[in-house]
Amino acid sequence: MTSDRARRLVESACGAGLLLGITALPTAWRTLDGEVTAILVGMLAALTAATYALHAVTFDCLRLTAQRRKGNFSYTQRRE
């Protein structure tokens, strides 16, 4: 695993952990047991994978098309 991929994975896991820590953990804290913990771990893994995939597709697309180097990256598809 390259350092770029590792950085993306850590960033995705931190984002997913922050999201779960803010939204789900306070609600589930009172009833935290084995089943709820397994569900939270599964949610963390799913959110991490989804965020990592989104980052990988976005950054790899920019790298492969060299849009960053050209300086003509636009948020819209309209040509001016």
Side-chain angles (χ1 to χ4, degrees):
M1 180 177 287
T2 64
S3 64
D4 187 43
R5 288 183 181 173
R7 183 185 54 81
R8 283 190 223 158
L9 184 62
V10 168
E11 185 179 301
S12 300
C14 288
L18 185 65
L19 179 70
L20 283 176
I22 290 172
T23 58
L25 196 57
T27 305
W29 187 255
R30 291 189 180 100
T31 60
L32 198 61
D33 61 354
E35 290 179 24
V36 175
T37 303
I39 291 170
L40 288 175
V41 168
M43 288 174 61
L44 178 68
L47 285 171
T48 300
T51 307
Y52 178 80
L54 181 64
H55 281 231
V57 167
T58 304
F59 293 129
D60 289 345
C61 178
L62 288 174
R63 189 180 71 224
L64 291 174
T65 59
Q67 296 295 325
R68 186 180 297 168
R69 222 176 322 125
K70 290 179 185 176
N72 62 353
F73 180 71
S74 174
Y75 292 107
T76 63
Q77 297 296 323
R78 185 177 62 183
R79 294 187 184 248
E80 298 183 58

